Each structure stands twice: as C-alpha cells, then as structure tokens.
Amino acid sequence: MEAVDGVNVEIDRIFAAKEQRRQALARLPFPEKVRAVIELQKMAATILRARGKMVRSWNVSATNEESPRASRLSPTKK
Amino acid sequence: MKRALKVLNEMERDGVFARYAVGGAMAAIFYVEPFLTFDLDVFVVLPQTSGGLLTLAPLYDALRFRGYSEQENECIMIEGVPVQFLPAYNSLIEEALKEAQAIMYEDVPARVLRAEHLVAISLQTGRTKDRERVRILREQAKLDQNFLADVLKRHQLEDKWKLWTE
C-alpha cells in the first residue's frame, strides 16, 4: 500500500501543478493570450490541413502580435 | 487583432453599427486560459432600417469600401483576422452588448461581453462546445454570482443552468 500511496502523492502533485499552470494562463494579459491562440492555430492548422480541413492562422505579423514568447506558453486545446 | 479592433472602432464611430463587442470564444479567452479558435465573433447593434429588417448588408458594404472584401467561411478578413459579425438577434444579446465590459487591448479601446453573459449565451445556444465553455468559465472566470442569477432569471435559463451544473 505504501508504494500505491507514494504514486498517488506524486500524481496529486502533478495534477496540482497542472491546475496552477492553467490558472496562471488564465491570468495572462489578453494580448498575451491572443498570441498564444495564434501559436495554437499554427500548430493545429498543419494537422487539420493534412486531414483535408482548410484553416489558416491569423495573419497579424505586421501588428507585432506574433511573439516568440507565445510559443513558450503551451496553452491547452479545447 | 489590434488593427482589426481599430477598424471596428472606426466603423462604430462612423455609425456603421451603433455598438459592438467581442463575443464567442475570444471573449471567453479574455476570462480563461487560451484555447484553440479560428475566428473572432463580433456582436453588433445595427442601425434601425426603415422596414425593421436585420441585415448585415450595409456593414459588408462599409467593409468593402474600406478594402475588406475577402470572405472565408462566413467571415470577413479584417487585417488578417477572420471576423464573424453577428447582429443582436434577441433580448439576451441586446442586454449583453449594452452591458459589455470596456477594455484596453494594448492602446486600443474595445469591448468584451461580460463572463456572466457568455455563460447565459452558451446555455441558450446549447451546443456541446457551449457546455464546455460554461464549465471552463465556471472554473476560471470570476463570475459575479448575483449578476449571473439575475441574467439567468431574466432570460428563463435557470432550468438549463441547473441541468448543466448539478
């Protein structure tokens, strides 16, 4: 039982950290979130196009809305 | 998105529509963690037409005049962002637009629907993704419970709320 409890403690810690991360993402300023969405669009567009669904990410490069920082945010797909 | 919001502000100032606010997924993202979406839903209060008909035709004409004519899946591309315009089609949307939250997107003023109205609109629309939106808004947005209760009561959405949340 001790090993199982140890695993549960570790899993609980991972889930708590994931939840903290999601809460932190929710608190980002809106423009940061938009940058993250654009990064998600780029990732998803490649996959969706391969499946025959034509989508494209927002083309907002001229407005400085694409940021290398966004790719580090790792937002979740809903 | 900043440029697209500037265009929306100009159009509101020019009277193309009486008022606008960001709704849908991008509005939800204002309150919760970022998630995947491809378009920007914009709710608008259109000026009254003589026949009382709700039509987006004058809005599309105004956009074409400004050089935005590219369409993609019911959206108009504005400065690289596919924008889906939705007229205020019922009393809930009208109220949501009236009480939308003023925000600053960097140095550009804009409006976003209140989180409580996003919950109510999701309940009213009732798709699977709306159910998910209600869940994440409950989890991450700081909902004003009294305000939400009033909205749900006013628009007869209390039963749906119970069904989805109990």
Side-chain angles (χ1 to χ4, degrees), chain A:
Chain A
M1 288 303 289
E2 196 179 312
V4 172
D5 287 344
V7 169
N8 285 345
V9 168
E10 183 61 9
I11 295 296
D12 286 348
R13 191 193 61 76
I14 291 167
F15 283 172
K18 281 166 94 74
E19 186 52 35
Q20 272 187 353
R21 174 104 180 119
R22 297 180 68 206
Q23 295 293 343
L25 285 165
R27 285 194 300 270
L28 284 173
F30 194 34
E32 283 286 312
K33 292 182 181 182
V34 172
R35 288 182 194 110
V37 170
I38 294 168
E39 291 302 313
L40 272 174
Q41 290 172 349
K42 286 182 197 166
M43 289 186 263
T46 314
I47 299 162
L48 292 170
R49 274 198 294 266
R51 290 183 190 163
K53 189 174 177 187
M54 294 314 294
V55 292
R56 58 175 160 166
S57 59
W58 294 3
N59 179 20
V60 291
S61 53
T63 59
N64 197 29
E65 290 188 25
E66 286 182 302
S67 155
R69 190 179 166 189
S71 61
R72 297 200 304 267
L73 296 173
S74 304
T76 51
K77 180 185 180 298
K78 289 281 174 290

Side-chain angles (χ1 to χ4, degrees), chain B residues 67-162:
Chain B
Y68 305 112
S69 56
E70 189 192 350
Q71 294 205 17
E72 193 174 281
N73 303 328
E74 300 290 310
C75 296
I76 300 273
M77 295 299 290
I78 302 178
E79 298 295 332
V81 177
V83 179
Q84 166 93 73
F85 287 98
L86 298 149
Y89 54 83
N90 65 24
S91 59
L92 172 59
I93 307 291
E94 281 168 12
E95 178 188 299
L97 266 161
K98 197 173 164 188
E99 298 184 22
Q101 187 183 345
I103 64 157
M104 288 300 289
Y105 187 91
E106 294 174 345
D107 57 343
V108 178
R111 263 181 240 108
V112 173
L113 297 189
R114 285 184 63 135
E116 296 82 6
H117 280 123
L118 292 173
V119 168
I121 293 166
S122 296
L123 289 169
Q124 197 176 62
T125 311
R127 300 160 299 179
T128 306
K129 70 175 178 180
D130 294 304
R131 204 170 181 132
E132 169 60 12
R133 195 165 295 164
V134 169
R135 187 198 62 78
I136 197 168
L137 282 164
R138 284 184 73 203
E139 203 176 281
Q140 295 184 354
K142 290 175 182 67
L143 297 171
D144 179 332
Q145 295 298 334
N146 292 329
F147 185 84
L148 177 62
D150 287 346
V151 172
L152 298 181
K153 189 174 181 184
R154 214 165 23 250
H155 298 280
Q156 296 88 46
L157 292 164
E158 290 162 305
D159 290 346
K160 190 78 169 282
W161 170 257
K162 280 181 192 159

